[in-house]
Amino acid sequence: METPQQQSLNEQFAGKIGQTYKDSVPHWPVQPKAPSDAPNVLYIVLDDVGFSDLGCYGSEINTPNIDALAGGGLRYSNFNVTAMCSPTRACLLTGRNAHSVGVGIISEWANGFPAYQGRISPKAATLAEVLGEHAYGCYASGKWHLTNLADYGAAGPHNDWPLGRGFSRWYGFHGALIDQWNPELYEDNHPFHFEPRKDYHLSSDLVDRTIGQIRDHVTSTHDKPFFNYLALGACHWPHQVPDSYIGKYRGRYDGGWDQIREQRFARQKALGIVPADAEMAAHNPGVVAWEDVPEDQRRVGCRLQETFAAFLEHTDAEIGRLVDYLRSIGQLDNTMIVLISDNGASPEGGALGAINMRKHMTHEQETIDAMLPRLDTIGSEYSFSHYPMGWAQVSNTPLKWYKKDTHGGGIRAPLIMHWPAGIASRGEVRTQFHHVTDVTPTVLDCIGVEAPRTYRGMDQLAMHGQSMRYTFADAAAPTTKVTQYFELLGDRAVWHEGWKAVVKHAKGADYAVDDRWELYKLNEDFTEVRDLAAQHPDKLASLVDIWWQQADRFGVLPLDDREAERARDFLMATKRSRYEFQPDMARIDRFMVPEISDRDYAIRAELSALTPETEGVIFSWGSRFAGFVLYCQAGELVYEYLYSEVQGHRLSIPMPTGSAVVELNFKRTGSNAGQLALCVDGQQRATLELPKMWWTYSTTAGLTCGLAGVPISEAFKPPFRFNATLQRMVVELGEGPSDDGVGKLWTVFKQQ
């Protein structure tokens, strides 16, 4: 029996006595629904893979799974990107031009101007953010490279990490140069301590994660599509791959880069990837005829190229596993797969290539004599390799220049679209000019979703790209795109109605006085070999004017041709004189470690519960390719400084017992040289001369405390956790070189 009070409450809730529960059921929020028959979407982004590297684009490299996607869908031969990774990814995910959304260059090289924020503007919702409003599950694996350097730390802010830009899950890494055998990874919004397992490879891991994300999605819902963004580290250097793959290519490149380039060019014509009347671009400056390459240099170069080819084949096999999984769950036909490379092939290996690319680029170039004894390590976890730029030009066959350049070799890239339920054409080539900004508008068009005018209260930039859907059914349809500008590190170009004006800018040169614009009619000159600037000065002038109009419209200015120097202001402004770390803390990213380059510093570790049996890492800074570590083992306290993977310095003393304050005091004695003193409880116990040292940011891994995050010393395997007590570790910075000396860092160091 209800009391009067209960009756009153029920009347208020139900409206009248006796109303049933089902009649008064609450109204749940209306859940968004995906458009009818909406496809799944899968973006696969390759890194530094050139225009000709895939088998279906003319290569001898074995890529059967990617080729099968092309055979079941479409290849584009006139597709263009931005010549570097972060800007291309920003364009791909937003459908807007890179400068307009704040990512005109890689994230580490932000300079504070609107076009170079190192993060995607909230005025440009990503595809994940848009599709998330239409019932899609959105997930990411692999390279992000769209977070400002200042936000790499575990404390964030995380607004511009993947989970802040529309993805529900992320497993991957922030920057580039990821070690495939021993990566430093993040999951969702935090770094974690990775412990390698037998037969591990990052590409396999990322595909496993992608499969897992899709599996979890399809088994938890029956009517929601998914969007997966898989951005592989392959095939950016370091080129690292199982030896069984490398063996397949042994001797394959002994004929040299000229021969392979000619063979690819012939296949490209046969496949319809390049016009039958196209001409091969000449050797880029610095690339000599193969017959003029010394024999030992050939041996090294061939082994490096064999490893790159193996790396790409291995990548193809992993992509094949993902495609097979989609087929096995009945989702392949209605999944729109978009596969691209983010820019042309990289010339950063220079004329010789390198086995330890970090050392080669930042503190000491490798010689052929130094590399010859180490050929068998190439591709293994003991190498951080990259091929010579002669092979990079092969990757970009038949085009000129490379990654970072706005000529064809930097910006023309493979694009494969595979969607059996929506693309009837099979195995055909499309020649219409398009740009990476056009991909997301195409996907939205196919799904039937419009980009929002406002998102989370923020007015949105209009889409700069346009749908390519009209090309699906009609190979002969004229290009609907009219204009596209390009800019990167002062290189500039504009494509307009089949004509292209382009200028290759020399770093430090006067833009107005020294730069010489070239003019090409790309409809008749696929490879940019016939400069028409002298014949058509008025046409050139009109295109240059269009470039400036585009630069103003899309926020490109001011031009900035600096590279890693751009980060100096940020790093100098954020440096501190004292840092404190704790055991088992989240990894300090390699870009966020204290700046100890060429200056005095002290590292103090407060320890207790020490016994002769104590072992483990007190701290680890960097990796075997450049780093140093303090650890306990076999009754000794040991310090190792690794100048490179083959050159290091070591000192040790008997293990202190009980409690001890262990201090490393470094005194600079010259440029990149100094003396390190190991002290215990204020008493100097040993010293070590360090005649050659690397710059801080040339290390290949970050800072961990109480364990090793990645392999560094051959005396132990990670994590080799410290089994006594470490209260804290303190780093204090002292005097360094003058501002001029610090400036030298940025003239030597090229981070990407």
Side-chain angles (χ1 to χ4, degrees):
M1 178 70 69
E2 291 180 326
T3 67
Q5 289 176 322
Q6 291 170 335
Q7 287 180 349
S8 176
L9 289 172
N10 193 45
E11 286 173 352
Q12 293 175 35
F13 176 76
K16 62 180 181 178
I17 300 297
Q19 183 170 350
T20 62
Y21 172 77
K22 74 174 182 178
D23 291 334
S24 59
V25 68
H27 295 285
W28 299 110
V30 176
Q31 296 296 317
K33 291 186 177 181
S36 178
D37 298 322
N40 307 307
V41 180
L42 171 62
Y43 282 1
I44 301 175
V45 184
L46 304 176
D47 203 328
D48 286 9
V49 171
F51 179 71
S52 77
D53 278 330
L54 304 177
C56 54
Y57 278 80
S59 178
E60 73 294 334
I61 298 172
N62 189 34
T63 57
N65 296 291
I66 295 174
D67 297 350
L69 291 177
L74 298 174
R75 280 165 293 168
Y76 287 76
S77 64
N78 207 355
F79 177 71
N80 296 266
V81 290
T82 72
M84 216 168 181
C85 42
S86 297
T88 290
R89 293 156 201 271
C91 293
L92 175 67
L93 287 172
T94 69
R96 285 89 166 184
N97 285 312
H99 297 86
S100 300
V101 303
V103 193
I105 194 63
I106 59 171
S107 296
E108 295 89 340
W109 295 352
N111 67 9
F113 283 97
Y116 306 105
Q117 293 292 307
R119 57 172 67 90
I120 296 174
S121 167
K123 295 180 180 180
T126 68
L127 182 60
E129 289 172 318
V130 175
L131 293 185
E133 299 290 310
H134 293 273
Y136 273 73
C138 301
Y139 315 100
S141 296
K143 179 176 177 177
W144 182 239
H145 219 181
L146 293 168
T147 298
N148 187 284
L149 176 62
D151 300 342
Y152 274 21
H158 300 104
N159 309 55
D160 300 299
W161 291 36
L163 268 62
R165 297 311 308 255
F167 293 99
S168 297
R169 294 167 67 180
W170 174 54
Y171 178 87
F173 51 100
H174 273 302
L177 323 178
I178 191 75
D179 191 312
Q180 299 287 320
W181 298 117
N182 297 286
E184 292 191 321
L185 297 172
Y186 297 79
E187 186 163 16
D188 297 335
N189 278 341
H190 64 91
F192 67 93
H193 296 308
F194 171 80
E195 296 188 17
R197 56 185 181 270
K198 184 179 180 182
D199 299 326
Y200 177 89
H201 191 277
L202 178 60
S203 295
S204 305
D205 190 10
L206 295 178
V207 168
D208 284 344
R209 290 289 177 146
T210 301
I211 289 173
Q213 291 165 355
I214 296 172
R215 177 200 62 223
D216 293 350
H217 177 89
V218 300
T219 54
S220 63
T221 183
H222 69 283
D223 59 354
K224 294 182 179 181
F226 58 81
F227 166 46
N228 271 78
Y229 177 64
L230 171 60
L232 294 154
C235 288
H236 196 294
W237 56 271
H239 299 158
Q240 297 169 317
V241 63
D243 192 60
S244 59
Y245 280 84
I246 300 174
K248 298 179 182 181
Y249 291 91
R250 192 71 74 230
R252 179 67 182 82
Y253 296 102
D254 289 355
W257 49 58
D258 292 329
Q259 179 189 95
I260 298 297
R261 197 162 172 246
E262 289 290 347
Q263 291 171 351
R264 289 194 184 186
F265 192 38
R267 279 194 294 270
Q268 288 176 320
K269 289 186 175 183
L271 291 168
I273 292 296
V274 302
D277 61 353
E279 300 176 46
M280 179 87 80
H283 285 146
N284 292 327
V287 177
V288 302
W290 184 254
E291 63 185 17
D292 295 329
V293 177
E295 180 60 33
D296 285 345
Q297 187 176 329
R298 291 186 188 187
R299 288 180 60 202
V300 173
C302 287
R303 188 65 64 91
L304 292 166
Q305 171 64 9
E306 290 164 5
T307 303
F308 170 79
F311 193 16
L312 182 53
E313 179 175 339
H314 178 265
T315 304
D316 176 83
E318 294 304 319
I319 291 171
R321 280 204 304 120
L322 175 56
V323 172
D324 286 345
Y325 174 73
L326 291 173
R327 183 181 293 109
S328 74
I329 61 172
Q331 295 289 342
L332 181 60
D333 284 357
N334 198 37
T335 296
M336 189 175 184
I337 300 176
V338 178
L339 183 145
I340 72 166
S341 177
D342 59 357
N343 46 247
S346 160
E348 293 151 309
L352 306 181
I355 293 179
N356 181 347
M357 190 62 185
R358 266 303 189 197
K359 175 184 175 184
H360 185 79
M361 286 190 74
T362 60
H363 52 280
E364 182 179 304
Q365 291 198 350
E366 290 185 304
T367 66
I368 293 297
D369 287 345
M371 288 189 276
L372 280 170
R374 304 189 58 244
L375 290 183
D376 289 340
T377 69
I378 294 174
S380 75
E381 66 172 315
Y382 293 94
S383 72
F384 210 81
S385 67
H386 191 20
Y387 55 24
M389 60 186 182
W391 290 113
Q393 189 165 16
V394 170
S395 286
N396 292 335
T397 301
L399 308 166
K400 62 170 63 171
W401 296 111
Y402 313 98
K403 171 184 178 180
K404 298 185 184 179
D405 300 316
T406 55
H407 284 79
I411 63 174
R412 200 184 294 254
L415 165 65
I416 294 170
M417 301 188 96
H418 181 276
W419 180 29
I423 300 176
S425 302
R426 299 286 188 270
E428 297 178 5
V429 175
R430 294 293 183 263
T431 60
Q432 293 90 347
F433 177 96
H434 276 286
H435 185 257
V436 64
T437 51
D438 300 330
V439 174
T440 281
T442 305
V443 170
L444 294 178
D445 184 14
C446 292
I447 293 172
V449 167
E450 290 188 7
R453 294 186 179 183
T454 61
Y455 180 76
R456 294 183 180 175
M458 182 72 68
D459 289 342
Q460 296 290 288
L461 296 170
M463 281 284 176
H464 300 151
Q466 63 187 70
S467 176
M468 304 161 59
R469 191 177 185 181
Y470 74 96
T471 68
F472 289 0
D474 190 354
T479 299
T480 60
K481 201 170 186 72
V482 176
T483 306
Q484 179 63 49
Y485 84 91
F486 301 87
E487 188 281 333
L488 199 129
L489 298 171
D491 274 20
R492 286 153 284 156
V494 62
W495 179 93
H496 180 71
E497 296 180 340
W499 290 81
K500 179 179 178 181
V502 58
V503 59
K504 182 167 173 58
H505 173 76
K507 186 175 180 179
D510 186 292
Y511 294 101
V513 176
D514 300 322
D515 286 355
R516 191 186 74 79
W517 285 84
E518 304 160 25
L519 177 67
Y520 301 101
K521 192 172 185 180
L522 289 192
N523 293 347
E524 301 173 0
D525 182 12
F526 186 89
T527 52
E528 303 171 19
V529 297
R530 297 189 294 275
D531 183 3
L532 303 177
Q535 292 96 311
H536 300 281
D538 292 343
K539 186 67 174 179
L540 177 61
S542 70
L543 286 176
V544 172
D545 283 344
I546 290 173
W547 186 89
W548 284 104
Q549 293 165 16
Q550 295 274 299
D552 180 61
R553 176 184 173 188
F554 296 113
V556 175
L557 306 175
L559 294 173
D560 188 348
D561 62 4
R562 298 173 301 154
E563 297 179 88
E565 304 97 314
R566 298 183 190 216
R568 181 184 176 188
D569 291 345
F570 161 74
L571 293 169
M572 294 300 104
T574 57
K575 71 177 181 180
R576 311 199 304 265
S577 60
R578 186 179 188 277
Y579 300 78
E580 185 171 321
F581 303 117
Q582 299 176 23
D584 288 323
M585 65 184 187
R587 175 185 70 251
I588 305 298
D589 189 88
R590 62 188 174 90
F591 285 109
M592 307 299 290
V593 298
E595 171 54 287
I596 61 172
S597 299
D598 214 19
R599 67 173 59 247
D600 296 350
Y601 64 86
I603 301 176
R604 184 174 70 253
E606 299 174 9
L607 311 174
S608 61
L610 299 172
T611 71
E613 287 73 40
T614 294
E615 65 176 14
V617 168
I618 297 170
F619 73 84
S620 178
W621 189 317
S623 75
R624 60 162 59 104
F625 300 104
F628 58 96
V629 60
L630 181 67
Y631 63 96
C632 302
Q633 188 178 56
E636 292 186 320
L637 179 63
V638 184
Y639 171 85
E640 289 188 48
Y641 184 94
L642 289 307
Y643 180 72
S644 72
E645 77 287 10
V646 293
Q647 185 176 358
H649 306 273
R650 182 183 189 276
L651 66 77
S652 64
I653 62 172
M655 177 80 68
T657 56
S659 297
V661 176
V662 174
E663 192 162 0
L664 298 170
N665 287 316
F666 176 79
K667 297 295 181 183
R668 181 177 181 269
T669 59
S671 177
N672 294 314
Q675 184 184 75
L676 183 126
L678 174 59
C679 304
V680 177
D681 294 330
Q683 300 296 311
Q684 182 173 301
R685 300 289 298 277
T687 61
L688 181 65
E689 295 295 328
L690 297 173
K692 290 195 300 183
M693 303 178 70
W694 37 255
W695 292 103
T696 300
Y697 297 105
S698 66
T699 57
T700 51
L703 169 64
T704 53
C705 197
L707 77 163
V710 298
I712 182 166
S713 169
E714 295 307 305
F716 59 83
K717 293 184 181 299
F720 199 43
R721 295 178 180 274
F722 188 60
N723 64 4
T725 301
L726 168 61
Q727 275 87 26
R728 62 177 179 166
M729 167 186 158
V730 176
V731 179
E732 294 181 312
L733 306 183
E735 292 300 316
S738 66
D739 286 344
D740 288 343
V742 174
K744 178 186 174 185
L745 166 63
W746 306 108
T747 63
V748 174
F749 172 55
K750 299 182 184 299
Q751 196 56 239
Q752 298 297 335

